[in-house]
């Protein structure tokens, strides 16, 4: 079964496929579906934003399930910023590198470097039923970038569980503990029950 992922981020599509593929799903992006839609994320939580994106794309995909996620990096020393604004923290046109540099600059004198990634995933069935799942991973903000793997803030996020930055972690290592990996696994469990009923 094909699922439309309400994203143009190929890194996310790859993670969705790696985890949901085990249930026999094939993930296709809105780009592959020929859908060009800008969705304004106006929610006050990651779950609300994920649902806003999934609902907008669902209206354009007849008879196909749609999924979307919203995730962010929350840093204690920055009052949980960048949080909901993780993707736009250094401006609309900023690159991952720009955002990482901004965080490192803001954190250069911080003693408390604790941070966590959080992800919320929304899934909408063709009949309109909605389910959501969440995942979280704890870590610290590094003082320099490490590695070029992953995407987003991965090179500056040190995961205490695997004792390395997400920037140097192998995809399977990251997926085992990542916020999105955990949210997707929680979603998988819910979908398995739905499919059994």
């Amino acid at each position: 079964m094909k699922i439309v992922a309400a994203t143009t981020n190929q890194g996310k599509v790859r993670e969705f496929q790696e985890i949901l593929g085990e249930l026999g799903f094939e993930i296709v992006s809105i780009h592959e579906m020929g859908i060009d839609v800008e969705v304004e994320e106006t929610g006050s939580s990651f779950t609300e934003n994920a649902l806003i994106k999934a609902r907008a794309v669902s209206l354009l995909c007849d008879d196909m399930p749609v999924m979307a996620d919203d995730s962010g990096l929350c840093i204690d020393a920055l009052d949980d910023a960048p949080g909901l604004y993780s993707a736009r923290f250094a401006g609309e046109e900023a690159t991952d590198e720009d955002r990482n540099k901004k965080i490192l600059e803001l954190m250069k004198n911080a003693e408390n470097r604790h941070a966590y990634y959080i992800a919320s995933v929304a899934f909408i069935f063709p009949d309109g039923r909605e389910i959501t799942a969440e995942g979280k991973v704890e870590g610290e903000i590094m003082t320099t970038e490490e590695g070029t793997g992953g995407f987003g803030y991965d090179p500056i996020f040190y995961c205490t569980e695997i004792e390395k930055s997400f920037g140097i972690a192998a995809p399977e290592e990251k997926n085992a503990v990542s916020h999105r990996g955990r949210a997707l696994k929680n979603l998988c469990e819910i979908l398995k029950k739905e499919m059994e009923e």
Side-chain angles (χ1 to χ4, degrees):
M1 182 197 299
K2 282 188 179 178
I3 299 174
V4 180
T7 183
T8 55
N9 183 322
Q10 283 306 120
K12 286 186 181 183
V13 172
R14 201 164 45 246
E15 281 188 29
F16 292 167
Q17 186 62 57
E18 284 164 359
I19 293 168
L20 293 176
E22 64 187 52
L23 289 182
F25 292 125
E26 179 190 347
I27 312 300
V28 292
S29 70
I30 54 173
H31 179 72
E32 292 172 271
M33 291 293 294
I35 296 169
D36 184 17
V37 61
E38 282 288 323
V39 182
E40 197 175 341
E41 297 173 27
T42 56
S44 58
S45 70
F46 293 107
T47 299
E48 282 182 24
N49 280 341
L51 281 166
I52 286 168
K53 287 187 268 190
R55 287 169 182 158
V57 172
S58 183
L59 293 172
L60 305 171
C61 296
D62 294 335
D63 303 322
M64 288 182 78
V66 172
M67 66 181 294
D69 88 307
D70 193 40
S71 57
L73 176 67
C74 301
I75 303 169
D76 289 8
L78 303 180
D79 296 324
D80 281 346
L84 286 172
Y85 306 101
S86 292
R88 306 178 293 283
F89 192 58
E92 291 290 341
E93 302 299 316
T95 64
D96 287 348
E97 194 177 346
D98 295 333
R99 287 184 283 273
N100 287 332
K101 279 184 178 159
K102 181 172 181 176
I103 295 287
L104 291 175
E105 179 62 26
L106 289 170
M107 290 290 289
K108 68 182 178 189
N109 298 317
E111 287 183 27
N112 175 7
R113 304 192 75 82
H114 176 262
Y116 63 90
Y117 266 128
I118 189 163
S120 187
V121 184
F123 187 99
I124 301 181
F125 291 92
D127 64 9
R129 283 176 300 142
E130 299 176 344
I131 54 177
T132 61
E134 201 166 83
K136 186 177 179 182
V137 61
E138 309 275 346
E140 295 176 351
I141 299 303
M142 302 177 67
T143 54
T144 58
E145 290 190 46
E146 186 173 275
T148 56
F151 57 93
Y153 297 104
D154 286 354
I156 62 169
F157 182 81
Y158 179 86
C159 176
T160 46
E161 286 182 64
I162 59 171
E163 300 183 334
K164 62 178 75 171
S165 89
F166 274 173
I168 61 171
E172 56 274 13
E173 287 180 298
K174 181 186 167 186
N175 287 345
V177 298
S178 82
H179 53 306
R180 192 172 294 106
R182 286 178 169 156
L184 290 169
K185 281 171 190 148
N186 291 336
L187 179 71
C188 271
E189 291 307 310
I190 299 168
L191 286 174
K192 277 180 192 168
K193 286 176 186 161
E194 289 277 340
M195 288 156 71
E196 285 164 6
E197 288 174 4

